Amino acid sequence: MAEPPETPALRAQYHIRQGATGSEIWDVRKLVRLAKTLPVLDVPLAEIGELDEVYWYGGGDLPTVRSIASHARLMAEADLAWPILLSAEGRVMDGMHRVAKAAMAGEETIRARRFPVTPPADYRDRDLDDLPYD
């Protein structure tokens, strides 16, 4: 499957992971730019560990019907033509709504770009409200 010819306008969003020294935060728009020339791979969904982990509702957050509906809307709108982004370790850095959509559709693989070396975080230990959302 070929990618659509134009990169869609991306909303400001961040990938957050707990590191050894606190939270690490990546600007997803920057990750998309950095990954643009990486090869597209077909990755088995069975290798996406996040499918069996708490992903959107960590840190004591409980899912509300409204938040689940919001995620369901994003899954329905997700375009599987766009590859997800994986860290060098194979962790999802962008595309969990696409992963969920592929899993719901019974797909066995998903298109992905994997960083050979995980880019350095853009922010560390920042409150999400203090990040730019332009």
Side-chain angles (χ1 to χ4, degrees):
M1 175 189 314
E3 282 185 47
E6 294 182 24
T7 301
L10 296 175
R11 63 184 165 86
Q13 56 190 305
Y14 296 92
H15 171 67
I16 304 155
R17 185 181 313 152
Q18 289 303 311
T21 60
S23 65
E24 297 176 312
I25 306 166
W26 288 263
D27 182 329
V28 170
R29 294 172 296 184
K30 182 178 177 183
L31 292 173
V32 169
R33 286 191 305 272
L34 291 172
K36 192 162 187 77
T37 61
L38 295 175
V40 177
L41 312 167
D42 285 324
V43 174
L45 286 178
E47 292 181 10
I48 306 292
E50 289 88 344
L51 275 170
D52 298 307
E53 299 171 2
V54 175
Y55 189 81
W56 290 309
Y57 297 105
D61 293 338
L62 294 175
T64 64
V65 173
R66 186 179 311 277
S67 70
I68 292 168
S70 176
H71 281 293
R73 180 183 52 77
L74 291 170
M75 285 180 248
E77 294 172 354
D79 185 347
L80 295 178
W82 292 103
I84 66 170
L85 301 182
L86 300 175
S87 69
E89 301 78 27
R91 304 293 291 176
V92 176
M93 298 186 84
D94 175 53
M96 272 309 295
H97 292 102
R98 283 170 274 161
V99 169
K101 182 175 187 168
M104 288 189 315
E107 300 289 340
E108 292 188 18
T109 63
I110 191 162
R111 294 162 44 86
R113 287 191 164 115
R114 186 172 183 164
F115 288 103
V117 175
T118 302
D122 297 301
Y123 306 97
R124 293 188 187 282
D125 296 321
R126 295 277 298 271
D127 187 310
L128 295 181
D129 292 332
D130 294 335
L131 298 175
Y133 285 92
D134 53 313

